[in-house]
Amino acid sequence: DFQSAGEWLVENKYTSRDKLTIKGGSHGGMLVGACVNQRPDLFGAGVASVGVMDLLRFQKFTVGYAWVSNYGSSDNADEFTNLRGISPLHNIKEHPECQYPAVLLVTADHDDRVVPSHSLKHIATLQATLGQSAKQTNPLMIMVETKAGHGGGKPTSKTIDEYTDVFCFL
């Protein structure tokens, strides 16, 4: 549905693929990561904030166990295959026909809901898989907020700083 909405926006001339940017946080960050992997040709940029990127190990950290009812668990052999197929971290690959869009991952050093390792592993895998490709000229970056958590209760000044950084990236 999400990708179809993007296609509709492009087909109906509301935007172009180069200008179509997607942004999501937490579980929405996972959606951004998955969509960028599945359809790198559709988006000009993707911003994933505190995203759940490792669907094979999320239940091992902090409150991730509570999401098993949403996603299933890789500890269950029947659910492993599905999770492996949609996990943003485990589906990064070079596409012969196009490069990845510009990607900015945003995480926080004190996030106790979606631990920073999700974003750190994701950017490391993006860089290792795509960073040396001559075709990949769009940036693949991460921003780690310090003295910050998952987002709730963030001071207005920190929110303004974060949005300023995101808009400068775009």
Side-chain angles (χ1 to χ4, degrees), residues 5-167:
E7 290 170 347
W8 187 90
L9 290 169
V10 171
E11 288 166 6
N12 288 279
K13 311 280 189 236
Y14 284 91
T15 190
S16 66
R17 294 178 189 275
D18 291 340
K19 293 183 180 179
L20 183 58
T21 297
I22 54 175
K23 182 179 185 312
S26 196
H27 297 284
M30 180 195 67
L31 175 66
V32 169
C35 287
V36 164
N37 286 343
Q38 293 168 6
R39 290 294 310 277
D41 62 307
L42 181 57
F43 308 106
V47 179
S49 299
V50 295
V52 181
M53 300 301 197
D54 183 353
L55 290 181
L56 298 183
R57 295 184 45 81
F58 70 86
Q59 74 277 13
K60 309 283 186 195
F61 304 101
T62 62
V63 299
Y65 66 89
W67 310 329
V68 169
S69 62
N70 294 344
Y71 299 125
S73 172
S74 62
D75 295 332
N76 179 326
D78 293 335
E79 297 168 347
F80 178 90
T81 303
N82 181 54
L83 289 169
R84 173 66 176 83
I86 62 172
S87 177
L89 175 64
H90 300 94
N91 286 286
I92 295 169
K93 63 181 180 243
E94 190 166 1
H95 291 261
E97 69 281 356
C98 66
Q99 67 173 317
Y100 263 55
V103 173
L104 176 63
L105 304 179
V106 180
T107 191
D109 63 351
H110 286 81
D111 190 340
D112 62 352
R113 289 182 188 89
V114 180
V115 293
S117 63
H118 283 275
S119 295
L120 297 171
K121 290 189 293 184
H122 195 78
I123 195 65
T125 305
L126 279 169
Q127 289 289 345
T129 304
L130 306 169
Q132 300 304 314
S133 172
K135 180 174 41 178
Q136 185 64 42
T137 58
N138 289 329
L140 306 168
M141 301 176 69
I142 190 168
M143 178 172 67
V144 180
E145 293 283 342
T146 58
K147 300 179 186 171
H150 196 65
K154 189 184 292 185
T156 302
S157 61
K158 201 168 218 22
T159 301
I160 291 169
D161 289 346
E162 181 179 322
Y163 274 97
T164 300
D165 291 340
V166 168
F167 284 126

